[in-house]
Amino acid sequence: AGAPERAGRARYVCNNRTERTFALGLAFPLFSRLMLQRFAVLLALFLLAPLAQAQGLVGSWTFDLLPPGGAGDPFETGYMTVPADGDGRLLLINNGLESPMTGVTSTQDGDTQTATGTLPGLGGAPFTLAVTVDGDAMEGTMTLAGNPPFGFRATRAVGDPFAAYEAEQDSLRLRQR
């Protein structure tokens, strides 16, 4: 009981998994067991890369500044966008101050991630943000212009917090007219 033959063409019949794998490996070297394993590892790394990035400091955040030492209630809230390197943006809502974050560089030392740069909108004040990121939350300190470090805690912003803030401000300006 072999496979039916067609006009002079022989057909190989695979009776078990080992034979099929062997036949595929011979016909298509990409389907060899080793190549499939390598492909699976690369695919897993590719799919997990966004999760690893989500753990980082880079992105848009809604934050609270706490008194030096980190104890007490927040005295300022705001939004910030932290780039890996380059320029970001900072908004202090209570004071209504907005500034680009220029010359930002980000580093990591163990669990602590640090971003440094300057805030031209605050007189060119240098800043250092040193935090531990846990998923979509971070906590640590923010130093402005060499002052004692403020407590800092933030959650990753959903969407563009600056666009929502600007729309709210535009709405308030229209009501005042």
Side-chain angles (χ1 to χ4, degrees):
E5 301 210 15
R6 292 191 223 172
R9 290 175 47 186
R11 183 171 177 215
Y12 177 75
V13 177
C14 295
N15 294 321
N16 63 40
R17 182 175 179 206
T18 303
E19 287 181 17
R20 281 192 303 273
T21 302
F22 180 74
L24 276 174
L26 288 177
F28 304 101
L30 286 176
F31 291 115
S32 71
R33 181 173 287 157
L34 180 61
M35 289 303 290
L36 287 175
Q37 288 172 342
R38 288 180 180 167
F39 177 74
V41 168
L42 288 173
L43 181 62
L45 290 173
F46 176 75
L47 293 174
L48 293 175
L51 294 176
Q53 183 179 4
Q55 294 293 317
L57 167 65
V58 174
S60 293
W61 299 87
T62 301
F63 69 86
D64 292 323
L65 283 179
L66 306 163
D73 293 329
F75 67 88
E76 180 66 82
T77 59
Y79 305 124
M80 68 174 16
T81 299
V82 181
D85 290 307
D87 296 340
R89 189 173 173 191
L90 174 86
L91 173 66
L92 301 174
I93 295 173
N94 297 347
N95 287 306
L97 297 172
E98 184 175 355
S99 176
M101 298 167 65
T102 59
V104 177
T105 58
S106 300
T107 59
Q108 183 167 354
D109 182 17
D111 289 341
T112 303
Q113 297 183 35
T114 304
T116 58
T118 58
L119 299 167
L122 299 175
F127 75 90
T128 301
L129 181 65
V131 295
T132 301
V133 179
D134 184 13
D136 288 338
M138 65 176 162
E139 193 166 335
T141 61
M142 183 173 200
T143 304
L144 292 169
N147 291 314
F150 297 107
F152 183 90
R153 65 178 175 225
T155 55
R156 196 172 299 276
V158 177
D160 182 1
F162 293 100
Y165 176 79
E166 289 164 0
E168 181 183 337
Q169 293 302 306
D170 288 343
S171 172
L172 291 172
R173 278 188 219 106
L174 289 174
R175 286 185 206 162
Q176 290 177 353
R177 291 182 182 178

